Amino acid sequence: NLAEDKIDEYRTIIRQSDPLPKIDLAFELPEGFLDELKTACDLVQRDFSAQLSSDLTTHPNMLPWVADGHHYHEENKLVSCLHCGNEISDQRRKTLAALFSESWQEQTNAVTAAIEWCGRSRSLLRGWLEGFPSQAAVQSTLAKGFGEAEKGFRAEVISTGTAIKELQEALGERQRNPMASQTVPDNVTKLLGADWSAEFIDAKNRLLSVISDHNSIN
């Protein structure tokens, strides 16, 4: 009752001296991936300037330097500036204390954490690309289907990694200059849409389906 092409396919399998090894693959994004992505996008766009005095708004690149200096002077109870030698007025001390408050530190820490999350996400996706089996490792009767599925999912993984790289770069600019106007890259915005999620899952499932067929033949 088998079609001719199926008979040939099964004969090819039966003639193999040994089965090809099973392939164990899983492509699961970390739990909360989209939530982390949305948080990172918010940090790129958030307005940090409301807390700044006019002189620091004019020289935003000096913010990390001023913050470190302020904390050092406070911890050591210094009443004059180690850089210029002038006395630090109570008003200036209060202004800097309000600026570099816990909320400001939380914002800067959040940007750092988002950059690190981007790095981990990119490493995960790179690991997937490097872990794809070769066509020779897959049952020969599935070669065509595997090639098409692997190509489709590889493209999805690469485009996702590229978008996250762009997000990481935007966060890096925000970290270097918190006052600079930033926009979320278009490629990143696409990751937040339903279309990306559906296409990513579909491409992944098509590849895993071929792998499942390969393991069944084993």
Side-chain angles (χ1 to χ4, degrees):
N1 294 326
L2 291 173
E4 282 298 322
D5 59 340
K6 282 296 180 183
I7 293 175
D8 292 339
E9 179 181 321
Y10 293 154
R11 280 176 174 160
T12 299
I13 295 169
I14 291 170
R15 286 171 183 153
Q16 291 176 196
S17 57
D18 294 296
L20 289 172
K22 286 188 176 183
I23 299 171
D24 184 19
L25 287 178
F27 303 109
E28 293 300 329
L29 291 169
E31 185 177 353
F33 176 85
L34 287 178
D35 290 336
E36 294 280 3
L37 183 66
K38 290 174 183 175
T39 297
C41 291
D42 174 64
L43 289 168
V44 169
Q45 301 174 100
R46 190 179 299 173
D47 181 12
F48 289 180
S49 64
Q51 296 168 267
L52 292 185
S53 56
S54 59
D55 54 348
L56 289 175
T57 303
T58 306
H59 303 284
N61 289 333
M62 296 302 291
L63 277 170
W65 181 80
V66 176
D68 289 343
H70 168 69
H71 293 312
Y72 184 86
H73 285 69
E74 288 295 287
E75 289 168 4
N76 291 278
K77 297 180 171 57
L78 300 176
V79 296
S80 60
C81 176
L82 290 174
H83 180 65
C84 66
N86 292 330
E87 181 182 353
I88 304 173
S89 69
D90 288 341
Q91 183 58 46
R92 184 62 169 174
R93 194 183 299 275
K94 290 177 182 177
T95 299
L96 293 177
L99 169 61
F100 300 116
S101 62
E102 186 176 341
S103 61
W104 174 271
Q105 193 59 49
E106 286 175 354
Q107 288 180 138
T108 55
N109 289 345
V111 172
T112 300
I115 291 172
E116 293 172 351
W117 174 82
C118 288
R120 291 194 301 272
S121 298
R122 292 175 62 197
S123 294
L124 173 68
L125 295 173
R126 278 196 301 269
W128 289 0
L129 293 174
E130 294 166 0
F132 282 173
S134 66
Q135 193 151 320
V138 178
Q139 178 63 38
S140 61
T141 55
L142 302 173
K144 182 179 179 182
F146 170 78
E148 294 173 351
E150 191 265 357
K151 181 180 178 181
F153 187 51
R154 179 179 290 273
E156 287 292 333
V157 172
I158 289 174
S159 65
T160 301
T162 299
I164 294 176
K165 178 176 182 288
E166 292 177 8
L167 177 61
Q168 188 176 27
E169 290 171 348
L171 286 163
E173 285 299 316
R174 167 112 282 187
Q175 186 180 56
R176 284 186 287 275
N177 186 352
M179 299 308 106
S181 177
Q182 297 287 336
T183 56
V184 176
D186 290 341
N187 287 334
V188 179
T189 303
K190 291 177 183 177
L191 300 186
L192 297 172
D195 288 346
W196 170 80
S197 183
E199 290 168 3
F200 188 90
I201 292 172
D202 180 63
K204 178 186 73 172
N205 288 343
R206 280 191 280 115
L207 178 61
L208 291 178
S209 176
V210 176
I211 299 301
S212 178
D213 289 345
H214 164 88
N215 290 339
S216 295
I217 289 172
N218 170 281

